[in-house]
Amino acid sequence: MTSPIPAPGEPLPHYVSTAPFDPYSVEEMTEEQVRVNQASQLRLMWWKFKRHRLALASGIFLAVLYGMILVSEFLAPYNLHTRNVDFIYAPPQRIHLFHNGAFVGPFVYGRTMTLDMDTLKRNYAENPADVEPIRFFCRGDSYRFWGLFESNVHLFCPAEGGQLFLLGTDRLGRDVLSRIIYGARISLTIGLLGITVSFVLGIIIGGLAGYHGGVFDLLVQRLIEVLQSIPSIPLWLALAAIMPATWSPILIYLGITVILGLLDWTGLARAVRSKLLALREEDYVLAAQLMGARSGRIIGRHLVPGFMSHLIATATISIPGMILGETALSFLGLGLRPPITSWGILLTEAKSVSVIAFYPWLLLPTIPVILVILAFNFLGDGLRDAADPYK
């Protein structure tokens, strides 16, 4: 039954419930809504990040890699500098589980080498009668763990008197897999150290430019435009070339890190500046100024934490560029130098087209480079989405 329509000029009917007021009867929330409303900002970001499956898998992959570089000496089957002069340019060996129909466990077949006198190429043939079981948690080449103490325990080793070259060997008979594992320590950490330098410079310079503005902001913007207008690789080459050849490998490592950080802060500084230009007009900034807070405290305590999650996502996406920068410099001979080993140095073995044609396994260090760069990009996308969990 519908209520009668009031005549023109008459007031609309007004109904008031006489039931006692219950504030929870209308706005009662489900358990899921209560859980979301009571969750902290970090928890909301974690829930949003978990829904990005590719970013989550990339984060786990990178966490495993960075955990592995802590025990590179233990994981590598050979010492970094061990040479097997009888197996120069040996191709990768395949792992087998069964021999003559019987389960033996993981093993490789021994090899015999013959020299082609026409091409002087070494040819390796498997010997099916020579079964070489892979040993686990075994004693092999000695090493100094992080330069602290001597040890010879490895995760896996070749059989006694045998060989185990899962990714082949190079021109000096050194195991490529072991050198990739050792090189990961340099290539992965140089990105983190470089982004730390870039992060500090970007926040300080961009924060001051965005907060104060004026002449300082104008000068910073012109400097950023000049740096961004110069091609990256020639600038890297110029800065790397001025490092003295007499420097120790550690100093060169630190120098490359500083160079990569000094050239990558511009994008982060502009992101910080744009955020601070908007946030500096907020009431809480004015309140902090009236209470006598200095510029550094206002920027570091009140402004930057408000968009720190976005900065972390931006920094994560910048790390692959630094890894590629180190790889390019080392490949061109202007970056790190032996005895330090990185993925870029390993790729210097594959400079010649003829070497690649005869020994293609020397290009295998490109695989971890590609995987790490993709993982950082996917992780950065996930962090950037999780930085705004309400979106």
Side-chain angles (χ1 to χ4, degrees), residues 78 82-88 162-163 165 169 172-175:
Y78 290 94
T82 298
R83 298 183 181 182
N84 302 275
V85 294
D86 294 330
F87 295 91
I88 294 174
Q163 297 80 35
F165 307 124
T169 62
L172 297 178
R174 296 172 298 190
D175 180 44

Side-chain angles (χ1 to χ4, degrees), residues 11-52:
L12 294 174
H14 182 63
Y15 299 96
V16 178
S17 175
T18 58
F21 175 69
D22 183 4
Y24 300 102
S25 60
V26 178
E27 300 181 2
E28 185 176 0
M29 296 183 294
T30 64
E31 293 184 2
E32 182 67 20
Q33 291 174 326
V34 171
R35 189 168 72 97
V36 172
N37 288 342
Q38 293 180 352
S40 64
Q41 181 77 3
L42 288 178
R43 186 174 292 274
L44 290 174
M45 292 173 62
W46 168 242
W47 290 341
K48 182 73 174 290
F49 179 75
K50 283 197 304 182
R51 290 202 293 268
H52 199 305

